[in-house]
Amino acid sequence: MADAPIAVSLETGAKRVFAAALDWPGWARSGRDEAAAKTALAAAASRYVVVAAEAGLGFSAGVLALEIVERLPGGGGTDFGVPSAIAEADRHPVDAAEADRLARLVGAAWTVFDRVAAAAPEELRKGPRGGGRDTAKIVAHVMDADSAYAHEIGLRFGAPAVGDVAAVDALRGAIVEVLRRPSDGSPLADRRWTLRYAARRIAWHALDHAWEIEDRTEPG
């Protein structure tokens, strides 16, 4: 990661604020207000290092300069816990090199999620996050969401069964193929999501649940 400030958007709902690093898909955290969201985002940098390394990209979790470049109105999805607003930066064109970088980060987010889930116990510590779901149900939820996300970018896939490696690989491979295509910034498949937003949303969901599993795993 260069020493330049990290471009961040703030998406503000009635009860929750999301801070998202616009150029680093999946690095997004929330809080009750802007200050809490920015603090949570900075705290997650050390976790995001693992994702960037998996993608083969340089990233330092040292001293961070977060620059708020957009403030976005949130809605019901924001308050429910999902970063739902598409930023103006998400509408910027994506050349071949940048599309490849974004796709690699999405793939790395899935790899991190898979690794965390495989190492976790089935029963997780109970708490408000995730409605108390245990590991297998979180994995199934992520598979369901990815099939829905595929639809948002013009693909049609049923949700893979947990453990169906071939089906999971086919779904993810198709998504990555779309994300690797250069884009002029228009919505994909004449729907709503742009390429940049799709990468941010898909990677965020995988990492949010990977980090949830880590946070809810009883100490060994």
Side-chain angles (χ1 to χ4, degrees):
M1 180 176 62
D3 293 332
I6 305 297
V8 172
S9 66
L10 290 175
E11 176 182 333
T12 303
K15 301 176 181 178
R16 188 188 299 255
V17 177
F18 270 96
L22 290 166
D23 296 322
W24 295 95
W27 186 17
R29 306 310 290 155
S30 67
R32 292 183 179 275
D33 55 30
E34 288 190 6
K38 288 189 288 186
T39 297
L41 183 70
S46 59
R47 286 175 136 170
Y48 198 79
V49 166
V50 178
V51 183
E54 190 68 44
L57 299 171
F59 186 96
S60 171
V63 177
L64 297 172
L66 303 179
E67 181 180 359
I68 309 305
V69 297
E70 290 194 51
R71 282 183 164 80
L72 311 170
T78 315
D79 291 329
F80 184 71
V82 177
S84 305
I86 297 176
E88 282 305 309
D90 291 325
R91 305 182 194 281
H92 291 172
V94 183
D95 64 18
E98 178 66 359
D100 179 69
R101 189 184 77 91
L102 297 175
R104 285 160 58 196
L105 286 164
V106 172
W110 281 324
T111 298
V112 169
F113 173 79
D114 290 346
R115 187 161 60 226
V116 169
E122 170 53 26
E123 186 173 348
L124 300 174
R125 183 170 56 245
K126 301 303 178 187
R129 287 209 64 203
R133 285 177 292 215
D134 287 325
T135 301
K137 289 188 176 180
I138 292 176
V139 172
H141 166 68
V142 170
M143 297 300 102
D144 287 345
D146 283 340
S147 67
Y149 295 161
H151 180 68
E152 290 294 332
I153 62 174
L155 303 170
R156 289 195 176 276
F157 278 84
V162 175
D164 189 341
V165 176
V168 172
D169 287 348
L171 170 61
R172 291 175 175 176
I175 291 172
V176 165
E177 183 180 349
V178 172
L179 297 181
R180 277 210 168 102
R181 299 171 189 160
S183 168
D184 65 1
S186 300
L188 298 172
D190 295 322
R191 294 179 64 82
R192 177 173 172 266
W193 289 12
T194 66
L195 189 151
R196 291 181 185 275
Y197 176 78
R200 290 203 299 116
R201 175 70 172 268
I202 295 166
W204 163 78
H205 192 247
L207 292 179
D208 188 58
H209 285 296
W211 296 342
E212 174 194 353
I213 291 171
E214 288 179 337
D215 291 345
R216 293 179 54 218
T217 296
E218 292 289 354

